[in-house]
Amino acid sequence: MTHDSGLAPGPAGPEVASVGRTDCDEPASRWANRGWWDRVAAEYQAEHGTFLGDAEFVWGPEGLSEATAGLLGPVAGRRVLEIGAGAAQCSRWLARAGADPVALDLSIEQLRHSRALDRRTGARVPVVQADAGALPFADAAFDLACSAYGALPFVADSARVMREVARVLRPGGRWVFSVTHPIRWALPDDPGPDGLVVRDSYFDRRPYVETGTDGRPVYAEHHRTLGDRVREIVGAGLRLVDLVEPEWPDGHDRVWGGWSPLRGRLVPGTAIFCCTKPGPGEAA
C-alpha cells in the first residue's frame, strides 16, 4: 500500500529510509502527517487542483460530486464542518450552495492554499487549523459534517474522530465521509494489471508508514476494514444509513495514484459512509 494521493515527499522533505506496514501511534502519526502535508501541499494542489476545482465538492477519484449525489441532503442555511478540508474546495462549494461552512485541517500550508483560492474566487471560507481528534468547537455546533478523503486515513485513533464529530453535531445532524475503499489495502497500489492481484491480508490493520533516516515516521496511513468503520460509527452513537461505493464512470480516464479506469471498473476504490446522529428518543 502506498500514498492514496500518488505523491511522495518533496525534495525539501526528509529522506525516506524505509517503507512498510508497521505500528505508528497517534502522536507519531499526527507529527508525521502534519509535516508531510505541509511539505507537499503546493505539489498536491498543482497536480490535482484542476480535478478538484476551486469551488467543487468531489467525493473521490471517481469524480462523484455532491451536486450529483446529494449525500448531505439540503445544505442551504445549514452550518457545516468540513474535516480534513485541504484547500477547502468542498466548503467553497457549500458556501455557494447557501450553507455556512467552516473548513478544518491539520496542515497550515493546505489552509494557505485555501486563502489563495479565496482571493481567486472571491468566496472566503473560514478555516481552522486543528486536530480532527480534538475539534475546537462546542457541543451541537453544526447541522452537518463532511470529509472527502480528509483526516480519517491519517489518524491512528479514528474512533475518537467519530466521537468528536458526534459531539459537535446537533441531534438529527448528518455526517458523511469518504475514504479509500478498504478492499484496496489487499491490493498493490498500482493502476495497471499488477494492481489486480491480492497481495496483502485485508485483515492486517497495521498502517503503511514511511520512516526517515532518524527513525521517525514521516508519513502514516491507517487501514480499517468495513466492519471496523461500522463499529466506530455505532460506538460513537451515530447511525449508518448508507454506504456508497461509486462506480467508475464511462469517459473518465484520469489516473490518480492507484486509481484508474482499469481498476475502477472491476473493484471499488472509494467508500462513502453516510451517517446520522439520532434525535431525542431515537435509538442509534
Side-chain angles (χ1 to χ4, degrees), residues 84-164:
Q89 287 95 336
C90 298
S91 286
R92 209 163 279 105
W93 180 88
L94 287 163
R96 288 184 171 179
D100 178 18
V102 175
L104 177 144
D105 202 277
L106 186 64
S107 166
I108 190 64
E109 293 301 324
Q110 287 279 38
L111 296 179
R112 287 195 175 108
H113 281 278
S114 178
R115 283 287 174 254
L117 290 183
D118 285 349
R119 293 189 291 272
R120 190 157 79 201
T121 64
R124 185 177 179 85
V125 173
V127 297
V128 175
Q129 183 189 16
D131 179 1
L135 298 175
F137 305 106
D139 297 356
F142 295 93
D143 301 298
L144 303 168
C146 59
S147 183
Y149 275 78
L152 284 166
F154 308 104
V155 296
D157 190 356
S158 50
R160 181 181 176 190
V161 177
M162 300 291 181
R163 293 192 298 271
E164 278 291 274

Side-chain angles (χ1 to χ4, degrees), residues 32-227:
N33 287 318
R34 180 175 181 173
W36 192 86
W37 282 107
D38 279 348
R39 288 191 298 276
V40 306
E43 183 183 356
Y44 179 87
Q45 294 298 332
E47 181 173 354
H48 301 302
T50 300
F51 177 76
L52 296 173
D54 291 346
E56 301 295 334
F57 195 135
V58 181
W59 282 110
E62 296 82 4
L64 179 66
S65 69
E66 176 59 14
T68 298
L71 301 179
L72 288 169
V75 300
R78 305 293 181 90
R79 185 157 174 77
V80 187
L81 175 62
E82 183 186 4
I83 297 173
Q89 287 95 336
C90 298
S91 286
R92 209 163 279 105
W93 180 88
L94 287 163
R96 288 184 171 179
D100 178 18
V102 175
L104 177 144
D105 202 277
L106 186 64
S107 166
I108 190 64
E109 293 301 324
Q110 287 279 38
L111 296 179
R112 287 195 175 108
H113 281 278
S114 178
R115 283 287 174 254
L117 290 183
D118 285 349
R119 293 189 291 272
R120 190 157 79 201
T121 64
R124 185 177 179 85
V125 173
V127 297
V128 175
Q129 183 189 16
D131 179 1
L135 298 175
F137 305 106
D139 297 356
F142 295 93
D143 301 298
L144 303 168
C146 59
S147 183
Y149 275 78
L152 284 166
F154 308 104
V155 296
D157 190 356
S158 50
R160 181 181 176 190
V161 177
M162 300 291 181
R163 293 192 298 271
E164 278 291 274
V165 171
R167 179 183 64 79
V168 303
L169 272 182
R170 293 170 184 149
R174 196 167 179 89
W175 161 230
V176 183
F177 64 94
S178 63
V179 292
T180 303
H181 197 288
I183 195 64
R184 288 296 183 97
W185 281 76
L187 306 171
D189 199 17
D190 185 324
D194 289 344
L196 297 173
V197 179
V198 172
R199 184 187 66 189
D200 297 314
S201 171
Y202 172 77
F203 302 102
D204 183 357
R205 272 82 162 185
R206 292 177 302 164
Y208 168 84
V209 180
E210 297 185 357
T211 304
T213 53
D214 61 357
R216 297 187 71 178
V218 296
Y219 178 91
E221 190 171 334
H222 299 267
H223 170 49
R224 298 291 182 270
T225 67
L226 285 174

